[in-house]
Amino acid sequence: MRTGRQQWASAPVFLLVLLMALAGPPVATAAEPSLSGNFLPAVLAGSEPHRQALVGLIRGKPGLPAWVRNMVSRDRYVALASKRVEIEGKSMQLFAACQPGNCAASALRVLYSQDGKRAVLRIADVRLGTIVLGEPNPAELDVLAAD
């Protein structure tokens, strides 16, 4: 027979086991990177596919704002957290960024495939106009152009 002290000592262990059982098994998608809540500078620094896709879009393209040309090597821009979007049955990652202190006049939206290997980009700049890179399909272009 257990004493009152022995029963009390086992209560936290029982509660922990109960909470773990109620939580269920780990979610299978935990191994997959989340497509929302990420920031572009961190993703570019930590994911070679994302970095290479963006470099491929902007390298050698004339007429881009300086902050966009330099965004791969310098994170001197304002970046919002990414959003997961569904386009034609595919999960994609949408990032928004802008020139510091000038967001209303120079901003971009970049859409990545789930694996980060493909990117399409839309830059909206008051002086330079709208620049679209990466040959987005109509559905992707709609997402890039949305506010």
Side-chain angles (χ1 to χ4, degrees):
M1 177 174 200
R2 290 185 176 182
T3 66
R5 182 178 174 148
Q6 288 172 328
Q7 286 177 335
W8 183 253
S10 64
V13 174
F14 173 75
L15 289 174
L16 179 61
V17 170
L18 179 63
L19 287 172
M20 290 174 61
L22 291 174
V27 178
T29 59
E32 297 175 7
S34 174
L35 297 179
S36 61
N38 302 299
F39 291 89
L40 190 55
V43 170
L44 293 176
S47 170
E48 192 60 25
H50 285 83
R51 187 178 190 289
Q52 287 303 317
L54 185 59
V55 167
L57 285 178
I58 62 177
R59 179 177 282 149
K61 302 291 190 294
L64 299 180
W67 71 272
V68 174
R69 280 195 317 272
N70 297 322
M71 68 186 304
V72 175
S73 59
R74 294 183 221 141
D75 62 357
R76 295 183 184 147
Y77 51 92
V78 177
L80 302 178
S82 66
K83 295 179 184 177
R84 180 186 173 278
V85 293
E86 194 79 19
I87 300 175
E88 297 178 343
K90 295 179 185 174
S91 294
M92 299 186 82
Q93 189 173 28
L94 177 65
F95 290 94
C98 64
Q99 183 180 25
N102 203 19
C103 285
S106 189
L108 66 75
R109 290 169 60 101
V110 61
L111 187 62
Y112 281 98
S113 60
Q114 190 167 359
D115 62 6
K117 293 180 179 179
R118 179 177 175 271
V120 291
L121 173 69
R122 181 181 185 271
I123 302 165
D125 189 275
V126 170
R127 290 180 312 145
L128 303 172
T130 300
I131 302 165
V132 177
L133 302 171
E135 300 179 20
N137 67 37
E140 292 169 337
L141 194 54
D142 287 345
V143 170
L144 290 172
D147 285 329

